[in-house]
Amino acid sequence: MSSDLFKTMFQTTVMQSMASYPSASSTTSPAPSQVFGAVLQQALMQGLDLADGSSLKDSLADTDITSALPTKPGADLLQPVSTSAKTDFDDIITRAAEKYNVPKKLIQAVIRQESNFNPNVRSHAGAAGLMQLMPATARGLGVSNVYDPEQNVFGGTKYLRQMLDQFQGNLKLALAAYNAGPGNVKKYGGIPPFKETQNYVRKITANYYA
């Protein structure tokens, strides 16, 4: 058998097998694909050589199987993936973004990094809530309950706005200040040489610009 003939038989069988999907297969007799599959498996195990001197495995490697697969009418092969992070706190984040003129996606990226959208988390240092506000920072922002999602997000977004304003809209410096404090950013004239802060800035900016 020639390799071209074998490829044609293989593609035709795949098309016949897939054409009936997703209808139930018959239980009374094997489908053509089952018979062909059994023959194919045996041939591969025996290392069958084709008449033109090529091996069966090499022949199949050159066969474009995907070209034989049917698609449903109007169906996309690749479904678009939404970049919008819809969460239980979406309305709160949207309102905070509008009030403080901070991109919604940036707030989401900060929350994902800080708490992974867990409003009850508390760090070993005492930072709490969705945007991990420290007690003193929370008080200064007028947040009385750091575990209240709305208070926390509005307070954290307000603080992020302050950092953006303080560092002339420089996103990386603002994020570094959010994490390590504005004093450290000024002290080192940029992102502080703290591994935690550097990773923090890198991860959030990568998420934000994704």
Side-chain angles (χ1 to χ4, degrees):
M1 183 185 296
S2 70
S3 60
D4 290 339
L5 177 58
F6 192 89
K7 292 178 184 179
T8 300
M9 289 176 60
F10 182 77
Q11 291 175 326
T12 301
T13 304
V14 173
M15 292 180 68
Q16 290 175 342
S17 176
M18 294 295 292
S20 60
Y21 181 82
S23 62
S25 59
S26 172
T27 58
T28 58
S29 62
S33 60
Q34 293 175 308
V35 176
F36 185 83
V39 174
L40 175 60
Q41 184 178 13
Q42 182 177 5
L44 285 171
M45 292 177 63
Q46 295 176 352
L48 178 65
D49 290 332
L50 300 174
D52 59 3
S54 62
S55 70
L56 178 57
K57 185 179 295 186
D58 291 339
S59 179
L60 287 179
D62 295 333
T63 302
D64 184 5
I65 299 175
T66 58
S67 65
L69 299 179
T71 58
K72 295 180 180 180
D76 294 329
L77 293 177
L78 294 177
Q79 296 294 331
V81 178
S82 174
T83 57
S84 176
K86 185 70 174 179
T87 71
D88 292 339
F89 313 105
D90 193 64
D91 177 65
I92 296 174
I93 296 171
T94 298
R95 288 188 285 112
E98 293 173 351
K99 180 174 182 178
Y100 295 108
N101 192 28
V102 174
K104 178 180 176 180
K105 191 175 180 181
L106 178 58
I107 301 172
Q108 291 172 322
V110 170
I111 294 176
R112 176 173 285 106
Q113 180 63 31
E114 290 283 2
S115 66
N116 199 26
F117 295 93
N118 181 353
N120 301 312
V121 69
R122 183 182 181 88
S123 74
H124 60 84
L130 289 170
M131 298 188 75
Q132 290 289 278
L133 301 178
M134 293 293 290
T137 303
R139 287 193 297 270
L141 295 168
V143 177
S144 59
N145 182 4
V146 290
Y147 296 108
D148 177 81
E150 182 158 346
Q151 287 193 45
N152 193 289
V153 171
F154 270 75
T157 303
K158 180 180 180 180
Y159 187 63
L160 188 57
R161 177 74 266 169
Q162 291 175 354
M163 297 303 99
L164 286 166
D165 291 342
Q166 187 168 339
F167 294 99
Q168 294 74 49
N170 187 307
L171 178 59
K172 291 185 177 181
L173 294 184
L175 290 173
Y178 191 99
N179 176 260
N184 278 319
V185 175
K186 294 177 181 178
K187 176 182 178 180
Y188 292 100
I191 300 175
F194 310 144
K195 186 175 181 179
E196 176 189 339
T197 301
Q198 292 175 348
N199 287 336
Y200 179 89
V201 173
R202 177 179 55 80
K203 290 178 179 178
I204 292 181
T205 53
N207 194 349
Y208 176 60
Y209 289 118

